[in-house]
Amino acid sequence: MSKPLKPIYYAAFVFALILQTFSNAAAQTVEAKIKITDSNVFVKGKFIDATNAKNVTNFSFLKSYAGNENLGARISEVSLFDQNGQAINYKKLADGEFLAENDFRAWSYKADLTVPKNVSALAHVSWLAEEQGILMPGDLLPELAEKTSAKIMFELPKDWRVAGIEKKSSTEFFEVSDVEKAIFYVGKNWREKEIAVGTAKLNLIISGEWQVSDDEAFQTASGIFAFYEKLFGGRAFEKAQIFLGKFPREVKTGRWEAETRGANITIFSSEMNFKTQSLQRLHEQLRHEIFHLWFPNGVNLAGNYDWFYEGFALYASLKTAVAMNQIRFEDFLDTLGRAHSIDTLQSQRVSLIDASKNRWNGANTQVYARGMLVAFLIDIVLLQKSKGKDALPEILREIYQKHKLSAQRQDGNSAILNVFQSRRELQTIIEKYINGTENIGWQTDLDVIGIESATDNFATKLSVKSKLNGRQKDLLDKLGYNNWRKNSESSK
Ligand SMILES: [Zn+2]
């Protein structure tokens, strides 16, 4: 029945989008007062500098994020007002998409922040539960400009607190320089501690009871942060915040979901069966997410180059774990073997560049698995070429230093491939595996470092060769093989 209407609706929608492009300013500052009531927020907002706000008739919200669709459906009870505070008529074009009859200057609306059913959404979109919640201005405030800054204040339920790393301009208002990068944690009964790591400050918030003690978590986080700061030769943020919380509903043992946005790391996790496993899991989560404070959050690179920052986050985290004696070398090889099995079994293998474009439409596993394998291959090819010098940190440092937040914005894929291409030995990897879709054939490279690859029942297994020559021993030591031996001797 609704079919004949569809083209008209579609045309209106496209037109609204065109309008939006013309009327949206490059930058805009708004004020927002956010009141929390049960699982809803009531938001009142206005433009702070109304002279910038001419011809703004589009009132719209983020529709989807990280594979979570239909976010606009949470918005209701919208009112728009002109400069005299008079209500303005508007049309609803779609969920989260409104078109006003005249310019508006102020607004109010309700957002239903009931906990999403999909557990994988919980670190990526705003929600409110009984005792805690996460508020992301990026999906909660209207999209009014390419970049929106905001003064935000919260009206909280009794005994609740709010944590955010944004500066406060007064006792009430947080100054948010970019709403897309901000996160606020709200709730009660959590522990908070600010730790100094060199001249940087890490604010750690832990909610819920854990097998791992708060002190162990604080120490782990600061140790990993310091490790990466040294590796990259600098950092992008004066202050970062890490939130560690339990899921607001029952989930399987070991399930976790995390996101790093701006300088905010959010980790929702369940426990493992034993404390040692829980501690190891926390190490893994922090190694991966803290890496993201540098890539992609600490660089000014644009576009979908997820294969790089996810693949290298996994690999750097794995290598860091060996270096810090948190896992055995055998575990390191097992993980790489599993990634190889996943990549080999893909029925439709696409290049990493294409997989990154399609990350939320089914190519996510490949971005991670193949991305990590490419990072490993780059590491061992550089090791061979540099005769055992640990060259991977060097290349990561080069990319970070060249493309820090203060540098000019560039396309991520070309910036990274440029750095890789300056090393001739990486040419084949770029052609076959990053731009190309070839099966990862790594036996020759593995031979040089003394590792062999076998396939058993479609699963790839890596192991250290039983007879090693001097060169192989040296290269393996650089990869952390010796660490494992030291580790196992000391734990006997
Ligand atoms: Zn990641």
Side-chain angles (χ1 to χ4, degrees):
M1 287 298 117
S2 65
K3 246 188 181 162
L5 283 173
K6 226 174 175 182
I8 301 164
Y9 158 74
Y10 182 66
F13 188 64
V14 170
F15 185 59
L17 288 178
I18 292 166
L19 268 183
Q20 190 182 10
T21 330
F22 286 136
S23 62
N24 270 3
Q28 190 64 269
T29 309
V30 302
E31 182 187 285
K33 294 180 175 173
I34 301 176
K35 182 183 177 181
I36 298 172
T37 311
D38 301 323
S39 58
N40 298 308
V41 291
F42 293 87
V43 183
K44 280 185 184 164
K46 64 178 186 190
F47 289 114
I48 287 182
D49 183 2
T51 51
N52 281 336
K54 290 207 172 90
N55 305 322
V56 181
T57 49
N58 246 106
F59 191 66
S60 62
F61 292 82
L62 188 70
K63 306 290 182 306
S64 76
Y65 182 75
N68 302 289
E69 306 295 328
N70 215 12
L71 299 175
R74 305 177 307 173
I75 307 295
S76 65
E77 298 178 22
V78 172
S79 298
L80 300 173
F81 306 97
D82 66 12
Q83 63 265 46
N84 303 317
Q86 296 297 311
I88 294 177
N89 288 336
Y90 64 83
K91 267 196 215 87
K92 182 176 173 180
L93 303 175
D95 281 337
E97 186 79 46
F98 308 88
L99 185 61
E101 281 180 6
N102 295 309
D103 297 356
F104 60 83
R105 292 286 183 274
W107 50 86
S108 67
Y109 56 92
K110 171 184 160 183
D112 178 352
L113 300 187
T114 305
V115 178
K117 288 198 177 65
N118 180 0
V119 172
S120 65
L122 294 174
H124 309 293
V125 303
S126 301
W127 53 263
L128 286 167
E130 247 165 59
E131 287 206 337
Q132 65 174 349
I134 176 167
L135 301 179
M136 307 184 173
D139 67 48
L140 219 49
L141 299 188
E143 296 178 312
L144 295 161
E146 268 171 53
K147 185 182 170 186
T148 305
S149 52
K151 282 166 73 105
I152 301 181
M153 69 155 281
F154 297 92
E155 213 178 301
L156 302 163
K158 193 173 174 285
D159 299 332
W160 279 39
R161 283 188 291 160
V162 56
I165 43 172
E166 318 287 337
K167 282 199 186 81
K168 274 187 134 180
S169 59
S170 64
T171 47
E172 290 183 314
F173 282 100
F174 287 95
E175 296 284 335
V176 176
S177 56
D178 184 350
V179 299
E180 283 181 14
K181 293 183 177 167
I183 293 204
F184 294 96
Y185 305 100
V186 291
K188 57 181 178 182
N189 301 329
W190 70 47
R191 286 91 63 200
E192 200 172 343
K193 187 175 179 180
E194 192 174 273
I195 16 179
V197 187
T199 53
K201 290 204 167 67
L202 266 188
N203 193 42
L204 234 102
I205 301 167
I206 302 178
S207 156
E209 294 308 315
W210 299 85
Q211 299 183 80
V212 174
S213 74
D214 289 2
D215 273 346
E216 283 170 310
F218 294 140
Q219 265 174 26
T220 307
S222 58
I224 294 169
F225 187 92
F227 183 91
Y228 282 134
E229 185 175 13
K230 196 166 161 225
L231 190 147
F232 292 114
R235 61 180 153 75
F237 305 101
E238 297 296 309
K239 194 170 178 184
Q241 170 163 273
I242 302 174
F243 177 91
L244 177 64
K246 295 243 156 106
F247 285 108
R249 67 160 60 106
E250 281 295 308
V251 294
K252 277 194 292 190
T253 305
R255 180 81 168 86
W256 62 284
E257 199 59 49
E259 182 182 295
T260 303
R261 182 180 297 196
N264 302 285
I265 294 174
T266 306
I267 302 170
F268 285 104
S269 185
S270 64
E271 285 280 15
M272 302 291 283
N273 289 325
F274 304 104
K275 187 189 163 183
T276 46
Q277 293 171 319
S278 283
L279 185 60
Q280 203 170 59
R281 174 52 58 95
L282 181 66
H283 275 293
E284 186 189 337
Q285 293 161 338
L286 290 171
R287 283 191 317 262
H288 185 102
E289 296 305 322
I290 293 176
F291 180 92
H292 285 326
L293 290 176
W294 279 267
F295 290 114
N297 297 16
V299 289
N300 200 3
L301 295 174
N304 303 112
Y305 63 108
D306 310 38
W307 64 272
F308 171 76
Y309 61 77
E310 291 304 353
F312 279 76
L314 281 179
Y315 183 67
S317 155
L318 198 61
K319 219 181 149 186
T320 307
V322 178
M324 294 175 92
N325 273 340
Q326 288 164 356
I327 61 167
R328 297 172 310 161
F329 194 70
E330 219 171 67
D331 304 320
F332 171 81
L333 294 183
D334 277 354
T335 309
L336 290 163
R338 273 199 305 277
H340 190 265
S341 316
I342 291 170
D343 189 63
T344 311
L345 288 172
Q346 291 291 325
S347 52
Q348 274 190 312
R349 199 172 307 109
V350 292
S351 77
L352 279 174
I353 306 285
D354 288 335
S356 299
K357 281 185 209 148
N358 257 319
R359 176 167 174 193
W360 306 111
N361 294 313
N364 207 12
T365 321
Q366 215 187 338
V367 166
Y368 283 91
R370 196 171 169 89
M372 177 165 70
L373 293 171
V374 161
F376 169 62
L377 283 176
I378 287 178
D379 192 19
I380 57 178
V381 168
L382 290 175
L383 262 180
Q384 292 165 34
K385 176 75 184 180
S386 63
K387 301 199 169 57
K389 206 171 123 226
D390 190 6
L392 188 74
E394 217 166 77
I395 205 167
L396 290 174
R397 200 177 306 134
E398 182 182 334
I399 299 171
Y400 174 69
Q401 293 293 345
K402 257 190 189 156
H403 299 286
K404 283 195 258 212
L405 290 177
S406 53
Q408 258 205 352
R409 195 152 180 83
Q410 278 188 36
D411 176 69
N413 281 318
S414 38
I416 283 147
L417 290 181
N418 273 342
V419 173
F420 288 176
Q421 257 146 3
S422 67
R423 277 111 169 140
R424 271 191 43 218
E425 61 272 26
L426 300 182
Q427 202 55 46
T428 318
I429 297 175
I430 299 171
E431 276 165 25
K432 284 187 179 171
Y433 309 134
I434 301 176
N435 288 324
T437 61
E438 281 190 40
N439 211 335
I440 307 264
W442 55 5
Q443 197 55 66
T444 321
D445 293 317
L446 290 178
D447 271 345
V448 183
I449 59 164
I451 292 174
E452 58 195 356
S453 168
T455 313
D456 180 23
N457 202 14
F458 301 109
T460 308
K461 268 248 156 234
L462 295 186
S463 54
V464 174
K465 291 184 174 202
S466 47
K467 279 203 180 121
L468 297 168
N469 63 33
R471 178 149 190 250
Q472 289 170 328
K473 274 184 195 156
D474 279 352
L475 293 174
L476 274 175
D477 279 352
K478 287 287 171 341
L479 270 183
Y481 183 47
N482 226 9
N483 274 3
W484 164 71
R485 286 204 307 227
K486 275 185 229 152
N487 198 20
S488 75
E489 274 161 20
S490 63
S491 65
K492 264 176 199 165

